[in-house]
Amino acid sequence: ALKLIDDGIIRRDRWMAEELLVDVDSIARDIKFYMFYGKVGLILETARVSGIKRCWYDTDLNYVETGKYLNNSFKGSRDQLDTLKELATKVSLEIPTPFVRIDFLISEGKYYLGEFTPVPANYDEFSKQWDTYLGECYAEAIVRLCHDVAQGKVFEKYQKLEKGWSPT
């Protein structure tokens, strides 16, 4: 960490401690929803048992290969994905942006919000097919978002959060 600070990659020597969430035999399962303003485009499940394993799902929870993380894939459990998919869909409709990745953690049967990620890393590793599909999802999300804004939708929950946010 100190080297990253010295190299300017980490700007400030400030840290936040979080509770470690564990599951039956490892740390919590990580579920990432690639959300396009009310529509799930793609889902990534990460398990950290004997290394990092990843599983991709399409919007119907079918296993898919996206070109990303091919060397460490596994077949996920799909446990609680329907519930989290509904929640991610509702949450994404409260955020005035065409794309956001919404991350959850599953620990001992409970789920927790992890983070919102507007620009996920390594997006250039998707296959051409998936890159095209996700681009189409983005374009369609812009249309839905603009329609809602033109109809007078106000993002009250987002505005409340935005007013209380401080970068320090």
Side-chain angles (χ1 to χ4, degrees):
L2 292 175
K3 180 170 177 8
L4 294 174
I5 292 169
D6 290 342
D7 293 345
I9 294 170
I10 297 176
R11 293 183 208 144
R12 292 180 289 185
D13 190 4
R14 290 181 57 181
W15 303 93
M16 175 177 47
E18 296 180 349
E19 177 184 353
L20 175 64
L21 297 175
V22 295
D23 209 1
V24 177
D25 56 355
S26 69
I27 63 175
R29 285 173 46 219
D30 187 4
I31 311 293
K32 300 176 184 306
F33 288 85
Y34 288 68
M35 297 302 305
F36 296 89
Y37 189 64
K39 179 182 175 188
V40 176
L42 194 58
I43 304 165
L44 173 62
E45 177 180 354
T46 301
R48 291 171 174 87
V49 180
S50 302
I52 298 175
K53 303 286 185 199
R54 293 193 167 94
C55 178
W56 291 102
Y57 305 92
D58 66 12
T59 189
D60 296 320
L61 303 182
N62 298 308
Y63 298 117
V64 295
E65 289 193 13
T66 65
K68 211 173 161 181
Y69 309 129
L70 291 174
N71 294 331
N72 56 359
S73 62
F74 80 111
K75 296 290 185 192
S77 70
R78 294 188 183 124
D79 180 43
Q80 292 186 302
L81 291 187
D82 281 324
T83 300
L84 291 176
K85 181 179 158 183
E86 287 179 32
L87 183 56
T89 299
K90 288 178 186 176
V91 169
S92 76
L93 288 169
E94 297 294 333
I95 303 171
T97 185
F99 172 80
V100 66
R101 196 186 72 201
I102 301 175
D103 301 357
F104 295 96
L105 298 169
I106 298 177
S107 172
E108 299 177 347
K110 299 177 187 170
Y111 52 88
Y112 301 84
L113 177 64
E115 67 181 359
F116 299 116
T117 305
V119 184
N122 305 323
Y123 56 83
D124 58 325
E125 295 178 5
F126 287 111
S127 68
K128 183 175 170 74
Q129 173 191 356
W130 277 97
D131 185 58
T132 299
Y133 170 73
L134 295 172
E136 291 168 356
C137 288
Y138 188 83
E140 292 168 4
I142 290 171
V143 172
R144 289 192 305 276
L145 177 59
C146 288
H147 175 268
D148 284 359
V149 170
Q151 295 296 312
K153 181 172 182 177
V154 177
F155 296 88
E156 293 176 20
K157 293 175 184 173
Y158 178 82
Q159 290 173 347
K160 285 180 185 176
L161 289 173
E162 187 179 45
K163 289 176 183 172
W165 182 80
S166 171
T168 57

